[in-house]
């Protein structure tokens, strides 16, 4: 019985130690850097090819002008698969992307073949239902509360992508309306994948180009009526924004010697 | 022995997540045996220092945009932490969406807000602070303001051995709110402690009516907390387009117009009533239920209407008055 108790205690202590040291184990880097390839995401923000910035007017095909005052989203869970479908997850798991975010360093991975690349726009279901903004000590953490908040004040869960701005419907220089698209809920998580067929060569860097064309967010929208969705109050419009944002984001890969 | 070991594991595991160490010893909540034990999350043990810090923050207008509203502006201790308004008035003088709910015994709620939109006491406070219809202050700015105050810096260090953060600020206020317990009403002394003189004959008759098959109020307002915490449609309105209640969260038609059953403890202090504060007093509430409510496809099948005499209504109100706990609110003034 005494042995049983001791074993129980040791198991318990191991569990505790394991849970405390999990992060250390996850970050246990291979010292052999010769076999490593570095990976980063380069973000390009544009509006139909024109450089994108907040508070600048852009003209849509119908002559209306739009100006973004907010354009931000979560880019998360970047991973790639090799030809044998082995998945490699890259860190950081979450990045809070604003219109000025140009690069995300994904660190080093084992050199090898990248068959397919995957990433999410938004926050995965498990995180969205278990992690809360008030869980963070560091306000710079991607999922910590933001001044331009990425969570709702009246509901739990994160806003995955958020676009706000003004519309000058007739292009006469006077704003006629405002748009607010706050999209969240698990059904609106966007999963993008790209057949990469790229070799991650040891000692070299591979850039994943993520291009966002903000003009596409308005594809097929009637900007006289389809102006506001907080997701729950207008799920139909939220679905349209999801479809449009998915199309607005394109992924490419480039190798650098 | 197994129980002891489990206890050890529990303490050890949450020591991995806890920020710093609480400076004071954990509080032992000495609740009467008829009251449920206090649910305390592993990463936020109750300490006297943390509760005091949370109380200071709760009453401090620093957490509102114009520094003119505190949590206590809409949750006044002498009104069982409600405010007596139909709807509270926010920083810009605009009414909030709903009537201010009582905070007594919020520790026992399985989810927060009348629609259950937030899962924990620790996380819900971000809502009133940030909501433009309430205190209207971005949470990072709230943290920055508190973190710039030397007195708060000292207190957070003392309580958490850590700086002001989203984590510590939310734990402090939640600890205070979790300490807002109410279990010492006249009815408690009568029903749970056997003091036959604690309530009047009218109140006793009212309790019988409350629990009777005819009124069946205790079908929803049940147990020692006088609530089942379920989302129910009580037939208050026909149109819920301005506030769909639980339906706003789930987007399901079958949840439209449903709200969390409120506790009736201290109900006499919390007028006006209902999620929108539309019923002025307990007489109006009784008339609403007696009439059977308005027609709506989600109306709860328990809302069927009943006949009640003036004497019975007086008795029912005498019982509801006996649920007032004057000791608890005095503790928190």
């Amino acid at each position: 019985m005494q042995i049983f108790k001791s074993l129980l205690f040791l198991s318990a202590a191991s569990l505790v130690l394991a849970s405390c040291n999990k992060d250390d184990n996850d970050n246990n880097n291979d010292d052999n850097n010769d076999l490593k390839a570095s990976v980063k995401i380069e973000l390009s923000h544009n509006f139909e090819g024109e450089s994108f910035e907040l508070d600048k007017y852009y003209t849509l095909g119908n002559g209306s002008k739009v100006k973004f005052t907010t354009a931000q989203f979560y880019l998360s869970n970047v991973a790639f698969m090799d030809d044998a479908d082995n998945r490699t997850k890259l860190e950081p798991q979450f990045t809070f992307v604003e219109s000025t975010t140009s690069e995300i360093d994904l660190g080093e991975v084992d050199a090898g073949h990248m068959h397919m690349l995957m990433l999410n726009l938004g926050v995965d279901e498990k995180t969205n239902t278990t992690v809360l903004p008030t869980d963070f000590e560091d306000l710079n953490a991607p999922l910590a509360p933001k001044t331009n908040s990425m969570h709702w004040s009246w509901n739990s869960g994160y806003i995955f992508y958020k676009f706000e701005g003004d519309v000058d419907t007739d292009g006469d220089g006077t704003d006629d309306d405002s748009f607010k698209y706050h999209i969240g809920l698990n059904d609106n998580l966007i999963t993008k994948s790209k057949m990469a067929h790229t070799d991650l060569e040891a000692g070299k860097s591979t850039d994943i180009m993520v291009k966002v064309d903000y003009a596409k967010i308005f594809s097929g929208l009637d900007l006289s009526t389809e102006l506001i969705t907080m997701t729950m109050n207008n799920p139909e419009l939220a679905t349209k924004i999801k479809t449009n944002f998915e199309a607005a984001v394109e992924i490419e890969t480039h190798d650098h010697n | 022995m197994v129980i002891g070991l489990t206890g050890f594991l529990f303490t050890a595991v949450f020591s991995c997540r806890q920020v710093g160490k609480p400076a004071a010893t954990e509080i032992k909540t000495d609740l009467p045996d008829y009251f449920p034990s206090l649910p305390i999350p592993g990463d936020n043990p109750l300490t006297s220092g943390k509760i005091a810090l949370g109380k200071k923050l709760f009453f401090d207008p620093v957490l509102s945009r114009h520094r003119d509203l505190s949590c206590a502006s809409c949750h006044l201790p002498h009104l069982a932490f409600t405010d007596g308004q139909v709807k509270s008035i926010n920083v810009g003088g605009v009414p909030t969406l709903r009537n201010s709910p009582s905070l007594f015994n919020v520790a026992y709620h399985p989810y927060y807000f009348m629609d259950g939109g937030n899962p924990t006491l620790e996380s819900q406070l971000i809502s009133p602070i940030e909501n433009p219809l309430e205190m209207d202050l971005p949470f990072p700015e709230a943290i920055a303001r508190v973190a710039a105050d030397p007195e708060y810096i000292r207190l957070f260090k003392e309580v958490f051995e850590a700086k002001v953060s989203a984590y510590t600020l939310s734990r402090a206020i939640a600890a205070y709110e979790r300490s807002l317990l109410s279990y010492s009403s006249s009815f408690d002394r009568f029903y749970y402690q056997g003091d036959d003189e604690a309530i009047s004959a009218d109140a006793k008759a009212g309790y019988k009516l409350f629990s009777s098959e005819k009124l069946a109020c205790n079908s929803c307002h049940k147990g020692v907390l006088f609530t089942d915490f379920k989302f129910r449609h009580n037939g208050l309105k026909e149109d819920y387009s301005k506030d769909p209640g639980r339906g706003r969260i789930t987007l399901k038609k079958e949840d439209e117009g449903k709200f969390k059953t409120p506790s009736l403890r201290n109900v006499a202090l919390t007028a006006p009533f209902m999620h929108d504060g539309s019923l002025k007093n307990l007489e109006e509430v009784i008339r609403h239920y007696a009439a059977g409510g308005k027609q709506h496809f989600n109306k709860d099948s328990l809302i069927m209407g009943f006949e009640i005499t003036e004497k019975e209504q007086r008795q029912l109100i005498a019982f509801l008055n006996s649920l007032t706990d004057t000791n608890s609110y005095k503790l928190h003034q």
Side-chain angles (χ1 to χ4, degrees):
Chain A
M1 184 60 186
Q2 189 58 44
I3 291 171
F4 177 67
K5 285 178 186 173
S6 301
L7 280 172
L8 261 179
F9 175 80
L10 278 173
S11 303
S14 304
L15 261 177
V16 174
L17 288 172
S19 72
C20 288
N21 292 331
K22 185 177 181 300
D23 289 346
D24 295 341
N25 292 337
D26 284 351
N27 293 328
N28 188 13
N29 294 323
D30 192 330
D31 287 337
N32 191 353
N33 289 327
D34 292 345
L35 300 176
K36 295 288 186 185
S38 60
V39 184
K40 68 180 179 192
I41 287 178
E42 286 202 357
L43 283 142
S44 153
H45 306 270
N46 72 89
F47 195 99
E48 284 187 322
E50 192 178 343
S51 176
F52 178 79
E53 54 192 275
L54 298 181
D55 298 317
K56 179 181 173 183
Y57 284 96
Y58 298 93
T59 306
L60 295 172
N62 63 2
S64 296
K65 289 183 176 178
V66 292
K67 175 187 74 178
F68 283 77
T69 53
T70 295
Q72 53 197 41
F73 58 91
Y74 283 112
L75 191 154
S76 63
N77 293 81
V78 182
F80 65 82
M81 283 201 298
D82 64 15
D83 284 330
D85 285 353
N86 296 310
R87 182 184 286 240
T88 300
K89 295 178 183 175
L90 300 168
E91 297 287 341
Q93 187 182 0
F94 298 97
T95 302
F96 172 56
V97 177
E98 297 173 276
S99 61
T100 51
T101 308
S102 59
E103 187 176 306
I104 304 168
D105 185 356
L106 298 172
E108 293 189 324
V109 295
D110 290 339
H113 184 68
M114 174 165 58
H115 172 66
M116 182 184 278
L117 177 76
M118 291 149 291
L119 58 82
N120 289 344
L121 302 169
V123 176
D124 62 276
E125 181 171 354
K126 184 181 174 191
T127 304
N128 198 35
T129 50
T130 57
V131 175
L132 299 161
T134 48
D135 287 344
F136 294 90
E137 291 167 61
D138 180 5
L139 275 181
N140 294 316
L143 298 177
K146 303 285 171 235
T147 300
N148 189 346
S149 63
M150 289 299 277
H151 55 267
W152 284 286
S153 61
W154 48 274
N155 193 8
S156 59
Y158 284 91
I159 297 170
F160 297 168
Y161 28 100
K162 179 176 181 176
F163 309 108
E164 294 179 351
D166 297 313
V167 184
D168 174 4
T169 311
D170 49 12
D172 66 352
T174 305
D175 291 335
D176 302 299
D177 262 314
S178 298
F179 63 90
K180 278 188 181 181
Y181 305 137
H182 297 188
I183 314 300
L185 295 186
N186 298 328
D187 286 348
N188 292 313
L189 177 70
I190 296 170
T191 300
K192 299 279 293 185
S193 60
K194 167 86 176 172
M195 298 300 282
H197 296 305
T198 299
D199 289 324
L200 303 173
E201 294 184 48
K204 293 182 180 176
S205 171
T206 296
D207 290 350
I208 300 166
M209 302 292 297
V210 174
K211 296 180 178 177
V212 188
D213 181 356
Y214 292 91
K216 289 183 177 168
I217 288 166
F218 302 106
S219 298
L221 297 189
D222 177 353
L223 285 181
S224 64
T225 56
E226 295 179 306
L227 288 162
I228 294 180
T229 176
M230 303 289 124
T231 305
M232 294 80 165
N233 70 333
N234 191 343
E236 296 80 13
L237 180 54
T239 302
K240 287 185 184 179
I241 302 298
K242 176 195 176 185
T243 303
N244 287 351
F245 188 46
E246 187 168 6
V249 176
E250 288 183 13
I251 306 171
E252 293 173 9
T253 55
H254 291 288
D255 305 326
H256 292 291
N257 290 327
Chain B
M1 179 57 197
V2 171
I3 291 170
L5 187 60
T6 308
F8 159 74
L9 255 180
F10 186 59
T11 308
V13 167
F14 69 65
S15 72
C16 295
R17 283 198 60 201
Q18 206 171 305
V19 175
K21 293 174 188 172
T25 315
E26 269 188 56
I27 279 188
K28 290 198 186 304
T29 47
D30 233 357
L31 297 172
D33 56 8
Y34 58 84
F35 219 66
S37 59
L38 192 61
I40 300 173
D43 73 339
N44 198 19
L46 280 184
T47 67
S48 54
K50 198 189 295 178
I51 291 169
L53 174 57
K55 182 175 181 178
K56 182 174 166 63
L57 288 161
F58 187 89
F59 285 87
D60 194 337
V62 71
L63 298 177
S64 63
R65 177 177 289 276
H66 302 302
R67 299 175 191 263
D68 55 356
L69 287 179
S70 69
C71 307
S73 300
C74 303
H75 298 287
L76 302 162
H78 72 284
L79 294 178
F81 292 90
T82 64
D83 65 359
Q85 305 289 322
V86 173
K87 290 174 183 173
S88 307
I89 303 300
N90 80 343
V91 290
V94 179
T96 53
L97 180 66
R98 294 175 185 153
N99 180 251
S100 174
S102 173
L103 298 190
F104 270 131
N105 302 324
V106 283
Y108 298 99
H109 288 223
Y111 24 68
Y112 292 89
F113 308 149
M114 293 178 184
D115 53 26
N118 205 289
T120 72
L121 201 48
E122 277 71 12
S123 64
Q124 64 77 32
L125 89 157
I126 209 166
S127 171
I129 292 174
E130 288 202 332
N131 192 335
L133 290 177
E134 297 185 47
M135 296 157 87
D136 193 23
L137 185 68
F139 206 61
E141 196 175 330
I143 293 162
R145 285 186 184 183
V146 176
D149 183 323
E151 174 69 359
Y152 276 122
I153 292 170
R154 184 185 68 76
L155 289 169
F156 272 80
K157 191 173 181 188
E158 195 176 298
V159 170
F160 293 103
E161 289 188 3
K163 61 181 183 177
V164 183
S165 69
Y167 186 90
T168 52
L169 185 92
S170 61
R171 267 64 189 171
I173 295 178
Y176 171 63
E177 292 175 336
R178 191 165 282 117
S179 76
L180 303 177
L181 298 166
S182 175
Y183 47 76
S184 302
S185 66
S186 307
F187 180 78
D188 290 316
R189 289 195 293 283
F190 161 70
Y191 190 80
Y192 293 108
Q193 297 174 328
D195 179 358
D196 200 49
E197 306 296 314
I199 64 173
S200 67
D202 270 358
K204 288 174 190 170
Y207 176 60
K208 277 188 183 169
L209 273 168
F210 179 84
S211 316
S212 67
E213 202 172 312
K214 182 171 82 164
L215 269 65
C217 310
N218 65 344
S219 297
C220 308
H221 299 285
K222 59 173 58 173
V224 69
L225 293 170
F226 290 90
T227 172
D228 60 3
F229 293 117
K230 287 185 177 171
F231 299 106
R232 294 180 181 274
H233 188 300
N234 69 355
L236 184 67
K237 299 156 79 83
E238 291 171 342
D239 178 12
Y240 287 85
S241 54
K242 285 184 181 168
D243 184 0
R246 182 66 179 161
R248 182 168 77 151
I249 304 301
T250 66
L251 304 180
K252 292 177 180 170
K253 203 72 182 163
E254 61 263 34
D255 285 332
E256 181 183 301
K258 292 184 179 178
F259 295 86
K260 185 170 61 178
T261 306
S263 170
L264 295 188
R265 284 187 171 272
N266 301 294
V267 67
L269 298 174
T270 66
F273 299 102
M274 304 300 169
H275 71 276
D276 58 356
S278 60
L279 301 185
K280 290 190 193 78
N281 49 44
L282 289 172
E283 286 82 356
E284 284 194 10
V285 173
I286 293 170
R287 277 200 291 275
H288 162 72
Y289 286 118
K294 295 192 171 67
Q295 288 309 309
H296 189 278
F297 56 88
N298 277 339
K299 189 175 81 167
D300 202 296
S301 59
L302 291 164
I303 311 294
M304 296 181 293
F306 49 79
E307 288 185 6
I308 187 166
T309 65
E310 277 189 28
K311 182 183 175 188
E312 287 174 327
Q313 179 171 299
R314 196 175 63 246
Q315 291 171 331
L316 190 57
I317 290 174
F319 159 66
L320 294 171
N321 279 326
S322 79
L323 295 174
T324 300
D325 173 5
T326 52
N327 296 319
S328 296
Y329 82 72
K330 281 174 186 163
L331 283 176
H332 295 284
Q333 292 209 66

